[in-house]
Amino acid sequence: MIRKNGIVFLFIMMLLLTAVVGCGTEEGGTEESQEPAVESTDLKDGTYQGRAQGHNSEIAVEVAIEEGKIASIEIIEHEETPVLVDPVFEDVKELMESHNSINIDTVSGATISSIGFRNAVKEAMVEAGATEEMLDQGKKISLDHGVALEEKDYEVVVVGAGGAGLIAAIEAKSQGAEVAIVEKNPFVGGNTLVSGGEFNAPNSWVQEKMDVEDSVEQYMEDTLAGGDYEADEELVRIMAESITEDGEWLRDYVEVEFIEDYLMHFGGHAVPRAIYPIGGSGIELIQKLQAKVHAMDIPVYLETEAKSLILDEDDRVVGLRAENPEGENVHFNGKQGVILTTGGFGANIEMVQEYNPVIDERYKSTNQNSATGDGLRMAQDIGADVTGMEYVQTYPTCNPNTGHLSYVADTRFDGAILVNLEGKRFVEELDRRDVISEGILDQTGEAAYLMWDTSIKENSNMETYMTEFEALEKDDLIVKADTIEEAAGFFGIDESTLKDTVERYNQFAAEGEDEDFQRRGALTALEEGPYYIQKVVPAVHHTMGGLKINKNTQVLSTEGTIIEGLYAAGEVTGGIHGKNRLGGNAISDLIVFGRRAGENATR
Ligand SMILES: Cc1cc2nc3c(=O)[nH]c(=O)nc-3n(C[C@H](O)[C@H](O)[C@H](O)COP(=O)(O)OP(=O)(O)OC[C@H]3O[C@@H](n4cnc5c(N)ncnc54)[C@H](O)[C@@H]3O)c2cc1C
């Protein structure tokens, strides 16, 4: 715990350091006085194009050379992940232009995109007359996202710029508070960015349009049953009663756009109730939240990692100690409070195993690398209580090479079946994620094969995820074939048993009842080629456990008392999902409790 003397000493050190190294900036300052790598005379004036492989596909650029120097770089084609790639296409690009050099640091968390972008610009410059040696010479220019080395005074400080954090900050600012966000990544978004962005809401405007009958009580019952009745009923009720109005706030105030005539029906829900953002991903949520945060002038300190909480003499949380990119201490004072929205610990395998030793090295993770449980540790260090830490959710249909959650495999929700290498079904495809995951690991090769036909494809959102589809194809993890035999043969699945399985399933579809696994919802026959088969494995996906909070999002101590000044929302908290989170409920949770944390911290 850091007390006042330490703070004064640090403050003086920071002022001294500020004088020596100068101030960084919020969201991407740049370092000055670097040597240009390419002399002006080396390049012929003109406009040149270059392309190179990025993370998702090729990046194409157009480089304008004027007076022998880079005048401008334009990105003309790419499919990199928006937001994640912003520091590359903004900061790195700006440094290349201002320094007439491609010798810039890669962006951590977006390394492959950085390299792809550099190589594309390099190709254009070679075209303009530069040689490889010329391009590689000169000092490497570093990216500097640092914060000014001084104490920062705010009323509310939010830790983590994922969905919960951005929402909490917007709400706190709307209530009139001076608020700042501290984020350890060089970009905002956290797991929310890579999520599907779908969230459940009973009696929503989309359900109304689609004539789906639902109720708050039914949603509560599904959520409680899905978590084996281990969830905190009071928190579940708040989520169920508030999410529809809060979803409208997201739509109308933050201007997030949703598909108005489509709902996802995640496992464990009695009716389809998950609202689907355009693009079928959290990118839409994060881009709009980020735009709102900018419009409201809320500072976001990137690459700034919160390390510990600061208490006053009365043990009230009044700020936090963070480290800037140079590893130097920075203090963020939040006299009204600190909101922890640091997400879960699904990417911290040691921490997962500490609480749940059953999860072993067979599991990869769907999470961003930054989901390491920092907020939990920081709060536990000052006496916070945790709940449900052993409840770790795995997601059944992930990429066997990377652990990434497969959105192409969402065809499961539209009718695809799961089979094993022997060509047999082994589980109800809409069962809980933990049940399907364990079922998959019991099969030969600890993997399963998801199969669908063209009619299922056409009723699904598969076309939205063609970049992923092509990557899977390149890695031999998916096959599209005219016949069932051909598709089965690609993976060595028993062809004749698979044909029998499909025939039997089609019979169930005709009769409207799945006699083998009682699949819920409508059954769709698989009878129209081409057929698709995708290899899938489970991966660690969500950590249901976390900080114990009360209905006002205040963090509770191990003694059951309120830790004054400390609030939490999103996956860093526990209790809302019990033993198992139903699909679409994490985003509902972070919207509802993110808003409440922002509001309560300003009271
Ligand atoms: C691939 C995938 C798909 C998903 N799809 C869905 C879905 O469709 N619907 C649904 O309901 N749920 C989904 N989920 C779950 C859901 O996305 C997450 O539970 C939710 O986004 C967590 O939001 P959050 O704001 O709590 O944390 P995050 O969005 O993870 O944000 C936490 C932020 O805190 C930052 N941070 C962490 N430690 C520090 C520190 N020490 N200092 C500063 N910053 C720090 C992180 O870098 C990160 O930016 C999905 C999850 C994944 C991984």
Side-chain angles (χ1 to χ4, degrees), residues 194-250:
V194 296
S195 78
E198 297 104 11
F199 67 93
N200 299 303
N203 302 325
S204 70
W205 70 97
V206 186
Q207 280 187 334
E208 207 170 292
K209 269 191 199 139
M210 295 181 67
D211 279 334
V212 177
E213 256 191 55
D214 201 2
S215 68
V216 166
E217 294 306 321
Q218 183 63 57
Y219 177 36
M220 274 190 74
E221 173 52 26
D222 292 347
T223 300
L224 291 168
D228 289 344
Y229 299 97
E230 291 264 325
D232 179 327
E233 202 171 323
E234 187 178 36
L235 297 179
V236 174
R237 177 167 291 282
I238 293 172
M239 179 172 82
E241 287 179 345
S242 316
I243 184 56
T244 303
E245 199 185 316
D246 288 346
E248 286 167 9
W249 172 85
L250 204 61

Side-chain angles (χ1 to χ4, degrees), residues 42-105:
D42 297 332
L43 304 173
K44 292 190 292 284
D45 285 3
T47 304
Y48 304 90
Q49 294 200 347
R51 15 185 354 113
Q53 183 60 39
H55 187 276
N56 296 339
S57 69
E58 284 197 338
I59 299 171
V61 299
E62 195 164 86
V63 180
I65 306 290
E66 284 172 18
E67 296 178 9
K69 283 186 172 169
I70 299 176
S72 65
I73 301 170
E74 203 186 327
I75 295 105
I76 52 179
E77 198 184 305
H78 80 94
E79 286 184 31
E80 303 303 278
T81 310
V83 184
L84 246 173
V85 80
D86 288 355
V88 180
F89 288 168
E90 289 168 15
D91 302 345
V92 173
K93 172 175 121 56
E94 198 185 299
L95 281 172
M96 285 181 174
E97 289 165 344
S98 59
H99 290 78
N100 193 37
S101 171
I102 59 167
N103 221 351
I104 319 286
D105 263 354

Side-chain angles (χ1 to χ4, degrees), residues 347-367:
N348 184 344
I349 193 67
E350 286 90 34
M351 195 164 165
V352 166
Q353 285 182 336
E354 177 187 332
Y355 289 103
N356 188 334
V358 172
I359 308 274
D360 58 23
E361 58 292 334
R362 292 178 303 173
Y363 289 92
K364 292 188 166 66
S365 174
T366 65
N367 285 202

Side-chain angles (χ1 to χ4, degrees), residues 160 162-164 183-184 191-192 195-196 198 306 374 407 542 571 584 586-587:
E183 166 58 53
K184 73 176 175 181
N191 272 348
T192 313
S195 78
E198 297 104 11
D374 302 8
Y407 288 105
H542 189 86
E571 201 174 328
I587 305 284

Side-chain angles (χ1 to χ4, degrees), residues 159-165 182-185 187-199 266 304-307 341-344 366-368 370-372 374-375 378 405 407 541-542 569-572 581-588 590:
V159 191
V182 173
E183 166 58 53
K184 73 176 175 181
N185 274 334
F187 45 81
V188 302
N191 272 348
T192 313
L193 178 72
V194 296
S195 78
E198 297 104 11
F199 67 93
F266 282 112
T304 303
E305 183 168 342
K307 290 288 183 183
T341 52
T342 46
T366 65
N367 285 202
Q368 296 259 55
S370 50
T372 44
D374 302 8
M378 279 190 277
L405 181 147
Y407 288 105
H541 184 52
H542 189 86
E571 201 174 328
V572 71
R581 171 179 71 82
L582 293 188
N585 269 0
I587 305 284
S588 303
L590 71 84

